[in-house]
Amino acid sequence: MTKIHLESIGTSAPEQFIKDKTKIENAKLRNKLEALQNLLYAESKHALLIIFQGMDASGKDGAVKNVFGSVNPLGCRVIPFKKPSELELKHDFLWRIHQHVPEKGMITIFNRSHYEDVIIQKIHKWVDEETIIQRYDDINNFEKILNDNSTTILKFYLHISKDEQLERLKERLSNPTKMWKYNENDIIERGFWDDYMNAYQTAFEQCSKVEPWHIIPSDQNWYKEFLILSKVVETLEKFDMKFPGLKSI
Amino acid sequence: MTKIHLESIGTSAPEQFIKDKTKIENAKLRNKLEALQNLLYAESKHALLIIFQGMDASGKDGAVKNVFGSVNPLGCRVIPFKKPSELELKHDFLWRIHQHVPEKGMITIFNRSHYEDVIIQKIHKWVDEETIIQRYDDINNFEKILNDNSTTILKFYLHISKDEQLERLKERLSNPTKMWKYNENDIIERGFWDDYMNAYQTAFEQCSKVEPWHIIPSDQNWYKEFLILSKVVETLEKFDMKFPGLKSI
């Protein structure tokens, strides 16, 4: 098990990365992604599940839009997970998750995920610690089932600094095009910042058995997008896909 | 791992069991079950998943009807699993299964199940042996997830002799009320009897980590029903359920 200490991982782009140059790179990567997604859909041998987790205002919505915005929506679904419904709460916590995993040929993006069940639920003690520990195990087993069955899971944690979050929350209060995103609750949850960092790093340590977590420094969106795009393109390229020939009639 | 040898397990009722006396016992057990299911639904703390597997004509439909026929259908669902659809085949084999598991308060009965994916698929080599071995592991992990989350799984194998199966298949050819059940394919599958026995016993050995398999001698329906009813009632009684009090307003 790798020890992870989030506070000692930087949240900004290293100096050698230049904004304009990186943005040109991102455009190229988006083109590659578009072509690869088309191939993924045509070949229909692999499924790709993308998981985004991160604090409020860490840029999850933006990552969905700016990384996958130009991909054919026929082969790409976005599933935001909110507060579970009454029926969902009566099931195991992975029940609602499993229903939305991608079939072969598809990319599915989870905006938040089953990791909420070991993050916010742990912090607010909505379930006891024994249950949380059991859930790490359940998550590993669940991800193994998917992985055993042609599904690759890419897990991204969008890592921002506490100061950057404050800036972004303030902007939501002042910028009329962003006010709709403001939620009083975000300020309350911000008060639990250290607990969140602890819960996240424990989850990453416990649940990297099947696929690792990628910690994405996310204070700059262009750098965040560069890292995610690179990883997604690299992963799809490794599938070594081919267009299928004519079906025999 | 317990070694299981199906051929050396009897398929009929032991001599000390008398048909008429057992049938009276069954009626009492059915009454108990009815009351317990009502309590299960009211309390809504446990979920019960019943799995029936067995050769063609082993009496799965009859078990559903005669064990659960008088239970309130509001709290009891039957899910028959047939040949997977194209979309289902594009997912991991447990995807379609997970969607139908019971939520707290419910009894769900699977008429055939995810075990088909390590039985018929193994026998006809629709998937390779490596995949089958992986699936045993996936099944154990999946059943653990359910079990970790308040779901008890009762797995019944309806064990009939090869002679008894022949009698029953013949009856389907001659009895006008049973002809609708006749399927040419059953005769073909009967030819793989020994392969089936082997595949079943391997599955039972490999997949009893979370909950054991119950081998039910099923040549006589009244005895089969007695064993299943007893196990279901015993399991529900162990939940030690109580009617919830008034909700605070």
Side-chain angles (χ1 to χ4, degrees):
Chain A
M1 202 177 70
T2 331
K3 272 275 166 204
I4 292 169
H5 190 238
L6 277 179
E7 294 292 347
S8 43
I9 299 174
T11 55
S12 333
E15 265 182 38
Q16 68 265 36
F17 280 86
I18 295 148
K19 185 175 177 178
D20 291 347
K21 267 179 105 170
T22 307
K23 282 190 150 188
I24 295 170
E25 200 52 44
N26 287 355
K28 285 186 202 159
L29 284 165
R30 262 189 291 269
N31 284 341
K32 275 194 185 175
L33 172 57
E34 226 180 297
L36 283 162
Q37 181 276 329
N38 190 30
L39 193 49
L40 181 85
Y41 189 81
E43 198 197 46
S44 246
K45 281 192 181 170
H46 300 267
L48 183 62
L49 174 59
I50 313 268
I51 296 177
F52 286 131
Q53 286 286 158
M55 297 299 285
D56 295 313
S58 61
K60 299 182 289 297
D61 292 0
V64 172
K65 187 177 160 198
N66 294 314
V67 173
F68 297 97
S70 54
V71 150
N72 187 344
L74 186 69
C76 185
R77 265 190 301 261
V78 183
I79 312 288
F81 286 99
K82 313 259 173 188
K83 199 169 159 257
S85 73
E86 259 192 72
L87 175 62
E88 287 167 350
L89 285 172
K90 280 190 178 177
H91 276 285
D92 66 90
F93 72 104
L94 295 163
W95 179 74
R96 65 173 188 153
I97 306 293
H98 205 168
Q99 297 182 25
H100 294 291
V101 299
E103 68 269 30
K104 284 178 197 165
M106 292 294 291
I107 299 175
T108 295
I109 302 152
F110 285 179
N111 192 342
R112 303 186 185 273
S113 67
H114 43 291
Y115 283 92
E116 292 296 323
D117 297 290
V118 291
I119 305 289
I120 192 167
Q121 298 217 15
K122 178 183 162 82
I123 289 163
H124 296 300
K125 301 187 178 24
W126 294 336
V127 294
D128 58 24
E129 197 54 29
E130 198 187 333
T131 303
I132 294 292
I133 289 164
Q134 204 177 54
R135 284 183 181 179
Y136 296 139
D137 199 30
D138 290 343
I139 289 175
N140 283 325
N141 286 336
F142 174 66
E143 293 186 357
K144 181 172 186 299
I145 289 172
L146 300 184
N147 209 253
D148 279 350
N149 292 278
S150 313
T151 305
T152 299
I153 310 170
L154 284 176
K155 303 186 277 192
F156 296 111
Y157 173 69
L158 307 191
H159 189 35
I160 53 168
S161 68
K162 204 174 170 185
D163 290 345
E164 177 65 22
Q165 192 202 36
L166 188 62
E167 284 313 306
R168 294 186 186 184
L169 292 180
K170 273 191 199 161
E171 210 202 335
R172 288 183 180 179
L173 278 171
S174 56
N175 181 336
T177 71
K178 297 204 170 173
M179 283 179 185
W180 65 277
K181 286 198 149 199
Y182 182 74
N183 183 337
E184 231 179 26
N185 220 30
D186 295 354
I187 304 293
I188 298 168
E189 292 304 316
R190 181 175 157 79
F192 294 95
W193 186 274
D194 291 345
D195 293 336
Y196 269 100
M197 291 306 113
N198 280 324
Y200 268 119
Q201 67 201 25
T202 308
F204 299 159
E205 286 167 4
Q206 295 294 329
C207 302
S208 291
K209 253 186 161 172
V210 181
E211 311 250 20
W213 269 92
H214 303 284
I215 317 291
I216 306 291
S218 298
D219 281 356
Q220 291 99 348
N221 286 325
W222 52 269
Y223 185 60
K224 166 190 80 177
E225 287 155 21
F226 170 72
L227 293 179
I228 298 169
L229 274 163
S230 302
K231 193 74 214 163
V232 173
V233 165
E234 180 202 317
T235 302
L236 289 170
E237 277 174 344
K238 273 198 202 139
F239 289 168
D240 193 22
M241 299 178 284
K242 284 176 195 67
F243 282 104
L246 270 181
K247 277 184 197 151
S248 52
I249 308 163
Chain B
M1 201 177 70
T2 330
K3 271 276 166 202
I4 292 169
H5 190 237
L6 277 178
E7 294 292 347
S8 43
I9 300 174
T11 55
S12 335
E15 264 181 37
Q16 67 267 34
F17 279 86
I18 295 148
K19 185 177 179 177
D20 292 347
K21 267 178 104 171
T22 307
K23 284 189 147 188
I24 294 169
E25 200 52 44
N26 287 354
K28 284 185 203 161
L29 284 165
R30 262 189 290 269
N31 284 340
K32 274 193 186 176
L33 172 57
E34 226 179 296
L36 284 162
Q37 180 276 327
N38 190 30
L39 194 48
L40 182 84
Y41 188 81
E43 199 198 44
S44 247
K45 282 192 182 170
H46 300 266
L48 183 62
L49 174 59
I50 313 267
I51 295 176
F52 286 130
Q53 286 286 157
M55 297 297 287
D56 296 313
S58 60
K60 297 182 289 297
D61 292 359
V64 172
K65 187 178 161 197
N66 294 314
V67 173
F68 297 96
S70 54
V71 150
N72 187 345
L74 186 68
C76 184
R77 266 190 301 260
V78 183
I79 311 287
F81 286 99
K82 313 260 174 189
K83 197 169 160 259
S85 72
E86 259 191 71
L87 175 62
E88 287 166 350
L89 284 172
K90 279 190 179 177
H91 276 285
D92 67 90
F93 72 105
L94 295 164
W95 179 74
R96 66 175 187 151
I97 306 294
H98 205 167
Q99 298 183 23
H100 295 291
V101 299
E103 69 270 28
K104 285 179 197 165
M106 292 294 291
I107 299 176
T108 295
I109 302 152
F110 284 178
N111 193 342
R112 304 187 186 274
S113 66
H114 44 292
Y115 283 91
E116 292 297 322
D117 298 290
V118 291
I119 304 290
I120 192 166
Q121 298 218 15
K122 178 183 162 84
I123 288 162
H124 296 300
K125 300 187 180 22
W126 293 337
V127 293
D128 58 24
E129 197 53 30
E130 199 188 333
T131 304
I132 294 292
I133 289 165
Q134 205 176 53
R135 284 184 180 179
Y136 296 139
D137 198 30
D138 289 344
I139 289 175
N140 283 326
N141 285 336
F142 174 65
E143 293 186 356
K144 181 171 186 298
I145 290 172
L146 300 185
N147 210 253
D148 278 351
N149 292 278
S150 314
T151 305
T152 298
I153 310 170
L154 285 176
K155 303 186 277 192
F156 295 111
Y157 173 70
L158 306 190
H159 189 36
I160 54 168
S161 68
K162 204 174 170 185
D163 290 345
E164 178 65 22
Q165 191 203 36
L166 187 62
E167 285 313 306
R168 294 186 186 184
L169 293 179
K170 274 189 197 161
E171 211 203 334
R172 289 184 179 178
L173 279 170
S174 55
N175 180 338
T177 70
K178 296 203 170 171
M179 282 177 185
W180 65 277
K181 286 197 149 200
Y182 181 75
N183 181 338
E184 232 179 25
N185 220 32
D186 295 353
I187 303 294
I188 298 168
E189 292 303 316
R190 181 176 158 79
F192 294 94
W193 186 273
D194 292 345
D195 293 337
Y196 269 100
M197 292 305 113
N198 279 324
Y200 268 119
Q201 65 202 25
T202 308
F204 300 159
E205 286 166 6
Q206 295 294 330
C207 303
S208 292
K209 253 187 161 172
V210 181
E211 310 251 19
W213 269 93
H214 303 284
I215 316 292
I216 306 290
S218 298
D219 282 356
Q220 292 99 346
N221 287 325
W222 53 269
Y223 185 60
K224 167 190 80 177
E225 288 155 21
F226 169 73
L227 292 179
I228 297 169
L229 275 163
S230 302
K231 193 73 213 167
V232 174
V233 165
E234 180 202 318
T235 302
L236 289 171
E237 277 175 343
K238 273 197 204 139
F239 290 168
D240 193 23
M241 300 176 284
K242 283 175 196 69
F243 283 103
L246 271 180
K247 278 184 196 150
S248 52
I249 307 166

